[in-house]
Structure formats: C-alpha cells, structure tokens
Amino acid sequence: MARESRLPRWLRRSARSAAASAAAARAREDMLLAAAQAGFPLAPAARPRGYGCSCERIGCPTPARHPVSLAWQTQATTDPEQILRWARAEPEANFITATGRTHDVLDVPASAGCAALERLAAEGVATGPVAMADPDRILFFTTTRGTPEDEDEWWPCELDCHPETMDEHPGLRWHCRGSYVLLPPSRVTAGGTISWLRGPELPLPEPLTLLEALTDACAETAAAEARAEAEREAAGWPTP
C-alpha cells in the first residue's frame, strides 16, 4: 500500500490551524464589540511579552495592565469601526475600558467577590456584568456616579481608585472618573486572563445595591486572613 505523502497532511494541519486562528480572532472582536455596544468606551492596552510587558518601559510596574497611550481618556471610544481597526492592527493587544463615563467598576479580591456573589444571589439582587480578573480580583460593573449634570453634585469616596493609587486599595476599589480596568478577553503575565462571569449585555445595577455585600465580604476576608496569619505566627510556622 502506498504511503500518504506528508505534504497533504501538512496542508490539512495548516488549514485547521488557520481556521482556528480566524475563529479566535472573530470571537475576540465579537467580545470587544459587545462591550462597546453596551456603552463601555474602549482603548488599546499593552499585552504580555514573556513575563514582562509589550511597552518599552524598563521594569514596567504594571505589565500588560495599562493603556498603550497616555491619551487613553480622550482615545477611549465605543465606535465599532475604530475598535476593529485597533483589534486587527494588533491582534494580541489587550483593551481597557475608561470608567466614570457610562459605568463604574467595583473591584474586589476574588475570595470576597465569590462570597458576595453568593450572598447577592441568595438575596435576589441582580449584579449585572461581572468579570474575573484572574487570578485574584473580581470586577462588578455598575452605573456611574461620575458624570452629574452639576459638577458640584459629584461626591468623592474614600474607595475611589485611580491607576496610581491601586496599591493603596488592597480591598475594595471603586473605579470611577480618571480610572480604567482591563476588559475581556485581555491576558496578563503568568498566563492570567480577564473573562466574563456575567456578560456586558446585562443591565448595569446601581453601585449602592452591591456595596454593602461587597464591603462586608472584603471585611470578612481580611479578618480571616488576619486570623490565619496570627495562627501561623503562634505556631511558629514560616510565613510565605
């Protein structure tokens, strides 16, 4: 029996690989356009490069987690044609959404976010869009308090978080005016991803309907971590 030439098999594998790449690109574009259609303004962000960042900054402090341009606030848009141009020009780029325009984001540790989701579901509270920022944060998308008709009515909050103050908010962060978060299907270093738990097509809830559950869950998580740390110290175990 004649042996099959390697060339047809190689061509079939190449065709399957090309089809899979095209399908992944379409899925990425569809996900970005769905967010834009929901009213989330988008702008391109850096992507992972090995364990570092695609930007040219040496020792980037937030690799693959920041916008490409310093003008991201004016650049962010919901225009589908512009978003497709960006996505096709840089197929591996991440995207951020600028908060404080059409939506805010309540950003909590993953353990607290999971506990809050269970409580809110038990109470029958609609959470709206929710994303997992693997491996350690959950993002709750809400209506914004950042664009009042009268600027004097805009009320600051001690939970307000901006890119330069992220480290000051290890618990709950409130992304409003002047801030941003990564959007699915972004990727971060060490194989982490941003993915939807509940899609952007859902209605945005008022932030205050979620705030009590989120703050309670963050407090309980912090207390549990403090107890665990005290137990490790009492037992003389090495602390990581």
Side-chain angles (χ1 to χ4, degrees):
M1 179 181 296
R3 296 178 62 184
E4 182 184 11
S5 167
R6 293 182 179 179
L7 181 58
R9 284 182 291 178
W10 179 84
L11 290 174
R12 286 197 294 272
R13 285 197 300 268
S14 297
R16 287 195 296 268
S17 177
S21 296
R26 286 194 299 272
R28 172 177 178 259
E29 292 174 0
D30 289 345
M31 198 172 295
L32 294 172
L33 292 177
Q37 186 175 6
F40 301 170
L42 276 63
R47 60 180 175 81
R49 179 174 290 166
Y51 287 95
C53 184
S54 62
C55 73
E56 298 179 356
R57 184 176 179 182
I58 297 174
C60 174
T62 55
R65 294 179 180 270
H66 62 83
V68 170
S69 173
L70 294 176
W72 59 270
Q73 293 195 63
T74 55
Q75 190 182 52
T77 181
T78 58
D79 177 28
E81 293 183 359
Q82 179 60 65
I83 291 167
L84 287 177
R85 282 194 291 270
W86 283 331
R88 291 169 181 174
E90 181 50 83
E92 295 185 2
N94 287 338
F95 277 80
I96 59 99
T97 179
T99 54
R101 299 186 190 179
T102 60
H103 68 292
D104 287 355
V105 172
L106 300 175
D107 167 1
V108 299
S111 55
C114 291
L117 281 170
E118 291 181 2
R119 170 177 166 178
L120 292 166
E123 295 175 352
V125 177
T127 57
V130 180
M132 168 65 79
D134 185 53
D136 58 355
R137 308 290 297 187
I138 291 183
L139 312 177
F140 292 78
F141 290 72
T142 71
T143 58
T144 184
R145 63 189 174 90
T147 54
E149 294 182 2
D150 182 353
E151 281 293 304
D152 292 335
E153 294 181 3
W154 188 83
W155 49 281
C157 172
E158 63 181 9
L159 301 174
D160 287 351
C161 181
H162 299 277
E164 64 274 12
T165 64
M166 294 281 278
D167 292 342
E168 299 173 16
H169 297 271
L172 194 152
R173 304 165 180 167
W174 193 325
H175 297 272
C176 54
R177 294 197 301 185
S179 191
Y180 59 80
V181 297
L182 286 175
L183 269 183
S186 294
R187 298 177 299 111
V188 293
T189 56
T193 59
I194 317 298
S195 57
W196 289 115
L197 298 178
R198 294 171 58 83
E201 72 281 357
L202 296 171
L204 293 170
E206 290 289 334
L208 296 183
T209 64
L210 310 181
L211 196 58
E212 181 179 357
L214 292 175
T215 53
D216 286 351
C218 286
E220 291 167 3
T221 297
E225 291 175 352
R227 287 194 299 270
E229 177 66 19
E231 290 172 359
R232 284 195 294 269
E233 291 181 355
W237 295 348
T239 302

